[in-house]
Structure formats: C-alpha cells, structure tokens
Amino acid sequence: MHDTLTLIVVLLGSAVAAVVLFRRLGMPPILAYLLSGLAAGPFGFGWISDVEGIQHLAEFGIVFLLFTLGLEFSIPRLLTLRRIVFGAGPLQVILTGAAVFAVMRLLGFQPMTAGITAGALALSSTAIVIRDLIGRGAVNTGYGRASTGILLFQDLAAVIMLVMLPVISNSNDDALWTMAGITLGKSLLLFAGIYVVGKWILPRLLEETGRARSDEVFVMTALLLALVAAWVTHWLGLSMALGAFLAGMMLGESHFRHQIEADLRPFRDLLLGLFFISVGMLVDPNLFAEQWHWIILAAVSLMLFKAVLIFVLLRLLGEPADTATRSGLILSQCGEFGFVLVALAVSHQVMSPGKAGLLVSITVLTMAVTPALLQHSGKLSRRLLGPWMEVPKDSPVSDDITGHVILCGYGRVGQNLMRYLNRFHHHAVAVDMDLVRLQEASAAGEHILFGDASRKDILERAGIHRARLLVVTFDDARLAERIIHTCRDLNSDVRVLVRTRDDTHLDALTAAGAAEVVPEVLEASLMLVAHALMMLDVPFERVLAMLRKTRRDRYRMLQGYYHGDSFPTTDSAGNPYRLLHAVTLSEKARSIGRSIRECALRDVEIRAVKRAEQTRESPDEDLILEQGDTVILYGPLEAVEAAEVRLLGG
C-alpha cells in the first residue's frame, strides 16, 4: 500500500508541475506528460520500475479516448466533407505510410517495425489541431474544413490500425489473411450487435438511469457502457478500443451524448495522462543524445513531406492555394495515436523499447513546433505563396469619387457597416487581407481591396486623399494605431473611427489621432442601460441625452468595476489594471474632519462620496469627510491600496 501511494504521489506531482509549466510556455500538455514519464521512468531518475504494470492500467486511457472519439464522431459531418474525407484523407495516409515504409526498409528495419512506424507517422494530432481551430473560431473556414476532413479519415484509419495490430502480431505469414478475414467478420458482427443495442436498448437504459435523478448513477452507467463494450471486444479476441469506439459512435447521435462526454472527461483525461506518462518511460535520453541529428532530420523531412503532400492533394481537389498551404502546415506533425500504436506494439513485443523511444522522440519533436505553426500558419502561407497567391484583381477608387468611407477590415462588423452606408447612399470601399472573403465580396459586386491597411500604397489606392471617414472595424489596437499614423501622414483632415474591445487603449488611440473610439464592451453596457431605462418608461429624449453625454465624456462613468476573486494585475497592453474600490470611514479613520485635498491621495480618482442617502459624484476637493462616508476610489491596484491606508490610517 505504501509503495502504491508513493507511486501515485510521484506521478501526480510530476505531471501537475510539468503541465503547469508547459501551459505557461504555450505547449501541448501531452508533451508535459511525456516529460514526466521520462523523468520518473527507468531512463530518468528511476522512481518507477514497474513500467509494465502502469502500461496495463494506462490501456484504459485508450479505451476512454476511443469512446469519447466515437461520441464526437459525426456521420453527417463525415458525409458533408466526404470529398476531402474519402479523397485527400486515404491518399494522404497511404502515400505517407508508403514513403515511410520504403525509407525504413532501405535502412534495414524489419517489415513489422517499418509498417507500425509508417502507420504511426502518417497520422496527425486531432487533439491539438481541432482544439486550436475551435479556439480561433476557424472550424468553418476553408482550411479548417479541409483539415477537419483529413483528420476524420485519420481517426478512422487509427481505429483500423488498432484493431489489426494485435492480429498481425499474433499470426504468421501463412495465416495472416485468414486471421484478417476472421477479424473483419467479427468486427462486422460486433458492429451490427452494438448498433442494435445502441439504437434500441441503451437509450432506454439511460432514460431509466436519468429518471433516478442521481449524478453518481449516471456516471457509473457511462463508465459501465465504455468498459462493457471494451470487455465484449476483448472477449471476442479484438481490440478493446474498437468496442469502445463503436459504442461511443452509437451514442453520439443520442441526446445523452454531451452529458456522457462531460461525465467521462475527468476519467479520460486522468487515464490518458497516465498513458502518455507510460509512453514517456520508453524514451531513452542517451539514445536521443547519440541519434539527435537523425531524429531532427527525420522530423523535419517528415513534416515537409506531409505538408507538401497535403498541399498537392487539396489543390488537385480544387481547393485554393492558401487553404491547401495552411492545411498542410497545421497537419504536418505526428499525433497522439502514434503513441497509442507504439505502446500497443511494445506490449505485443513486436517493437523493442529502443526503437519505440526513437519513434516517440520524432513524434514529440514534431508536436513541439506545432503551436508555433498553428499560430503563424496564415503569415507563413502568404510568405510561401508570395507572387503565386491567387489575389482577385481589384481596381482603385476612381478619382471622381470624393467624401467616401474607407473600412479597414471586412469581417462581420465591417460588412454590417457597409450595408447601412449603402442604404444611406454613402460610397464605401473596404480593405481586407482574407482571400476567401475578398473573393466572395467581389463576386457579390462590393468594392473591396486586398492589402494591409497600415501601408501607404494601399490607403492611396483606397483614395485616402479624398476620403471623408476611415473606420477601423477590427479589434487590434496596435495595428489600428499604425493605421491612424499612416492615415495622418497622407491626409490629416480625414476623421478616424476605431473599434476596440474595451477602454484599455482608449487614451492611446485618441492621442494617436482617432476622432472617436468605440469600446464594444462599454457600448454593450450602454445599450443595455438605454433599453432598461426605456422599458421603465423613461422618456426617449432623456435616454438619448444620457447616451450623448456618456460618449462625450468618453465613457468615464462606465470605466472601472468591482472585481471578484480573480483580478488581473495588468491589462492587455501591459498597463496596471484600474479598478473601483469602496472605502467606508469608520470612527477611527484619520481622514475624518479633513478635506479631500488635505488627504493628498496620489494616482487615484475619487469618483463619488456617499453620505447617508446622498451620493456626490466627482466631489469638490474642499469637501470635508465625515464618519460613515463611503469613498469610491478609482485607479491602479497599488495606488488604491495606498489611498485606502491614508484614508483610514493617516
């Protein structure tokens, strides 16, 4: 018991520390688990010697991974993207696998080792790529759909590989096809059985457990479903992962899907972390030190090959060059299913731990550079394509047009603004760098130019010398400031309207020359206030006057708010965060009987003083403070704390 507890503490402690560190560095948590396994394993500090026991427990992580993959596997989405899923997907896996297999055989590796390596390296990381696409809101973009389609087929291919690996490893060459046929027959029979159970029996079972209104019963039922499906396939001599995947896929179309996924996620993440830790124990640092040049060469060569191959396949399917390039860049890494195949191969003794460690090292290296590729894929694709970019031909604004509006950015906000400008018969031209958006808008007859609005030549093509108004419609304060400076150099008379998220950069943009800055968070609050007042029968004229005064005062009344437990120390620009804080003067407060001027508060603003039922906003500095007054302070955290000390302690 003592050894087991020590083992758990060591694994959890090292994993938590590594994940926190890698999160700070913007790296995938998978790499943190692998590093923890390397440190704790026999090639590291040697804290854990029973690697085989951990690997048996970690196999349940694969079961839950495949079960949740089945839950998320959408057949309608598969059919929607069928051109890429069944076009580029199979060719990418087959051609990448064939190339890796050929190179491995030329280097003298056994066919079994070469085949497993080929299958592992042909797959990309679904977890990293899909999570990033969702976080950026890019799932429905051209490159997002193309990448998702290829990943869908890779997931199917991974399931097939996991099913066939035990069959191939446990049979000789003569009986290979016979065993493969038997396995295929068992799989089809299993699919039919699970389909019947999942269609008519499981939903009723889940409805009964749901009526119990007990969270623990539902969680136990979800766990039982995943484990029973894995047990059935194991009993039939198949991979446990296959049964879990099929069961999840059957439940994926039911209305219980999200609840089951939420209940199983903690178990999946914990066991998957343990699985990746066990994979990390296979890595020998001495092997990496001896073979580091070959590992780097293999990783770079593989990523280049996959990126070029995906680019060519998507171009053959008619996808734009930018979409094909970005998809190739973000899918060039190896994925987590490669670790699963390697671990399974080691457990079936068809691959030595040394070769497995080499393969894991290559995979880890490709995954380590993936966050940077995901973040800069747009810039890299534009730089790589260069003069070959498919930019629609646009025409500059005619010299006859004057007093028009220039829209920098043509996203949703820019397009909505364009519609209203057209309705009120104001001519407008948009500037944007999204090629797909440019093609769509140009096809609809709208005047849009391709380029960076902070460049002088682009603004000159947009007719900046004759424009009446320039509007920055996107939320990027630094780029907006550059656009303002460029605009001022070309035409100091044009008025500039800038959109921002909050009031963080309001003063800086105003100082740069913006006539108006619209913080969307504060405007949303202002609109909510206006609607609430009108629903309370406040006359529209008074509401309109309030709106005008608030904007004229540059949202002063809306700046600052009372924070909860979580409080940011700096804003997005790196400046000290400003907040509101209320200080009530007790009977022992030193500031009682003194004026606000005499208190000598520095770097803070007194927004109001509340006394009894009265509130004095922006009080005069000669106001004498009394016992029971509540002073509302506004300023940076340190200045507010210092002011509170002076008010209460003197």
Side-chain angles (χ1 to χ4, degrees):
M1 178 63 185
H2 180 268
D3 293 338
T4 304
L5 181 60
T6 303
L7 174 66
I8 294 173
V9 169
V10 168
L11 288 179
L12 284 179
S14 59
V16 168
V19 169
V20 170
L21 175 62
F22 275 61
R23 283 289 189 188
R24 292 270 181 98
L25 298 174
M27 304 292 286
I30 293 175
L31 301 182
Y33 291 125
L34 294 170
L35 180 64
S36 300
L38 172 62
F43 299 111
F45 295 106
W47 297 331
I48 299 171
S49 56
D50 185 16
V51 178
E52 187 176 350
I54 291 177
Q55 288 176 339
H56 285 307
L57 180 61
E59 286 182 11
F60 288 103
I62 304 172
V63 170
F64 286 113
L65 172 65
L66 269 294
F67 185 75
T68 53
L69 177 64
L71 287 172
E72 297 170 358
F73 197 84
S74 173
I75 295 179
R77 192 175 191 185
L78 184 74
L79 296 176
T80 302
L81 299 171
R82 59 186 178 275
R83 189 171 62 92
I84 294 175
V85 173
F86 299 110
L91 289 173
Q92 183 271 321
V93 173
I94 292 171
L95 293 177
T96 304
V100 173
F101 182 84
V103 172
M104 295 285 288
R105 290 294 290 147
L106 288 174
L107 293 175
F109 286 90
Q110 295 296 320
M112 182 70 71
T113 303
I116 294 170
T117 304
L121 298 183
L123 305 176
S124 303
S125 177
T126 303
I128 297 176
V129 175
I130 292 296
R131 184 178 298 173
D132 184 83
L133 291 176
I134 293 173
R136 297 177 188 272
V139 175
N140 292 317
T141 60
Y143 74 94
R145 288 192 296 269
S147 302
T148 302
I150 294 175
L151 287 171
L152 279 172
F153 183 83
Q154 288 186 358
D155 290 342
L156 280 175
V159 174
I160 295 172
M161 293 177 193
L162 291 174
V163 172
M164 296 305 298
L165 181 58
V167 177
I168 296 173
S169 62
N170 293 327
S171 59
N172 53 45
D173 295 337
D174 297 333
L176 178 60
W177 292 107
T178 303
M179 290 298 297
I182 294 173
T183 301
L184 180 61
K186 288 181 179 180
S187 301
L188 292 175
L189 181 64
L190 178 67
F191 179 82
I194 289 183
Y195 178 80
V196 171
V197 174
K199 189 77 173 177
W200 287 285
I201 299 176
L202 288 184
R204 295 182 180 179
L205 175 63
L206 291 170
E207 286 177 5
E208 289 297 325
T209 56
R211 288 193 186 100
R213 298 187 181 277
S214 173
D215 292 339
E216 59 268 25
V217 172
F218 197 89
V219 171
M220 286 190 292
T221 305
L223 284 171
L224 184 64
L225 290 176
L227 295 176
V228 165
W231 174 77
V232 170
T233 50
H234 182 69
W235 179 67
L236 290 173
L238 301 172
S239 168
M240 293 192 297
L242 175 63
F245 175 77
L246 293 177
M249 193 170 65
M250 291 301 105
L251 290 170
E253 302 301 324
S254 70
H255 58 274
F256 297 104
R257 166 195 162 187
H258 298 291
Q259 183 63 41
I260 295 174
E261 186 178 0
D263 289 338
L264 288 185
R265 185 179 293 118
F267 299 97
R268 182 199 66 183
D269 293 345
L270 182 62
L271 291 170
L272 265 183
L274 184 61
F275 167 75
F276 289 124
I277 287 174
S278 69
V279 173
M281 294 178 184
L282 300 175
V283 180
D284 185 356
N286 296 324
L287 180 66
F288 185 84
E290 295 171 1
Q291 306 287 338
W292 64 269
H293 48 291
W294 293 112
I295 293 173
I296 294 176
L297 178 63
V300 173
S301 302
L302 178 67
M303 295 185 74
L304 286 174
F305 180 82
K306 290 177 76 171
V308 172
L309 177 61
I310 292 172
F311 171 82
V312 172
L313 293 175
L314 291 177
R315 290 292 288 154
L316 291 175
L317 289 175
E319 295 292 331
D322 182 61
T323 296
T325 305
R326 294 190 73 171
S327 300
L329 288 172
I330 66 178
L331 294 179
S332 59
Q333 80 290 126
C334 304
E336 56 277 353
F337 278 111
F339 297 135
V340 177
L341 285 171
V342 169
L344 196 61
V346 172
S347 66
H348 283 83
Q349 299 179 350
V350 295
M351 180 180 284
S352 66
K355 293 185 176 66
L358 198 63
L359 185 55
V360 169
S361 300
I362 295 172
T363 304
V364 168
L365 194 58
T366 62
M367 294 176 75
V369 300
T370 297
L373 284 177
L374 290 167
Q375 184 176 357
H376 302 291
S377 61
K379 294 179 182 178
L380 285 172
S381 65
R382 287 192 291 270
R383 184 168 296 182
L384 289 171
L385 292 174
W388 296 283
M389 289 187 70
E390 301 172 358
V391 181
K393 294 182 179 180
D394 51 39
S395 56
V397 175
S398 172
D399 293 339
D400 298 331
I401 297 175
T402 59
H404 59 287
V405 181
I406 300 175
L407 305 180
C408 301
Y410 203 55
R412 187 167 187 174
V413 174
Q415 293 173 37
N416 289 337
L417 182 55
M418 175 75 85
R419 290 168 190 154
Y420 279 91
L421 290 172
N422 291 337
R423 176 167 292 186
F424 284 86
H425 307 291
H426 286 284
H427 189 85
V429 58
V431 180
D432 201 284
M433 293 190 66
D434 190 302
L435 285 175
V436 176
R437 187 180 296 152
L438 191 71
Q439 293 166 348
E440 293 286 336
S442 300
E446 298 185 9
H447 198 172
I448 179 170
L449 306 178
F450 175 80
D452 182 356
S454 64
R455 290 174 49 183
K456 289 186 177 181
D457 58 327
I458 300 299
L459 288 182
E460 287 174 346
R461 286 174 59 83
I464 187 64
H465 296 290
R466 303 179 306 278
R468 182 179 178 185
L469 177 67
L470 182 142
V471 184
V472 179
T473 67
F474 50 79
D475 177 26
D476 188 337
R478 292 182 179 178
L479 181 55
E481 196 169 344
R482 291 206 306 270
I483 292 173
I484 294 172
H485 287 302
T486 306
C487 175
R488 288 283 169 249
D489 291 341
L490 297 173
N491 184 359
S492 59
D493 296 328
V494 67
R495 304 190 72 192
V496 180
L497 173 64
V498 181
R499 166 203 170 195
T500 62
R501 174 163 178 77
D502 51 33
D503 57 337
T504 300
H505 305 275
L506 194 149
D507 294 335
L509 292 170
T510 303
E516 295 290 343
V517 180
V518 181
E520 57 187 30
V521 173
L522 303 187
E523 274 293 328
S525 302
L526 202 55
M527 288 298 99
L528 194 62
V529 169
H531 282 288
L533 291 175
M534 286 190 289
M535 292 176 72
L536 294 171
D537 299 327
V538 176
F540 176 73
E541 292 76 12
R542 290 188 60 189
V543 175
L544 185 60
M546 179 271 299
L547 293 175
R548 288 174 175 171
K549 184 178 186 306
T550 304
R551 290 175 179 139
R552 190 166 54 247
D553 294 341
R554 299 198 181 278
Y555 307 94
R556 181 177 176 278
M557 190 173 180
L558 301 178
Q559 292 175 352
Y561 62 100
Y562 302 108
H563 288 272
D565 290 335
S566 59
F567 174 72
T569 56
T570 58
D571 58 25
S572 57
N575 302 316
Y577 212 92
R578 305 174 74 85
L579 76 157
L580 286 176
H581 180 59
V583 179
T584 301
L585 304 182
S586 61
E587 59 180 354
K588 296 182 179 180
R590 295 290 181 88
S591 58
I592 294 175
R594 297 183 181 182
S595 66
I596 294 176
R597 181 182 288 106
E598 291 174 337
C599 293
L601 305 181
R602 298 178 181 178
D603 301 325
V604 295
E605 177 186 344
I606 296 182
R607 283 292 178 86
V609 174
K610 294 185 178 181
R611 179 176 296 170
E613 300 297 328
Q614 295 182 346
T615 299
R616 302 187 183 188
E617 296 183 359
S618 302
D620 189 87
E621 290 191 349
D622 294 326
L623 177 68
I624 303 299
L625 299 176
E626 299 178 1
Q627 179 182 338
D629 285 352
T630 299
V631 183
I632 310 300
L633 303 174
Y634 174 69
L637 176 61
E638 292 184 359
V640 168
E641 290 177 343
E644 182 177 14
V645 171
R646 291 188 67 85
L647 287 172
L648 298 180

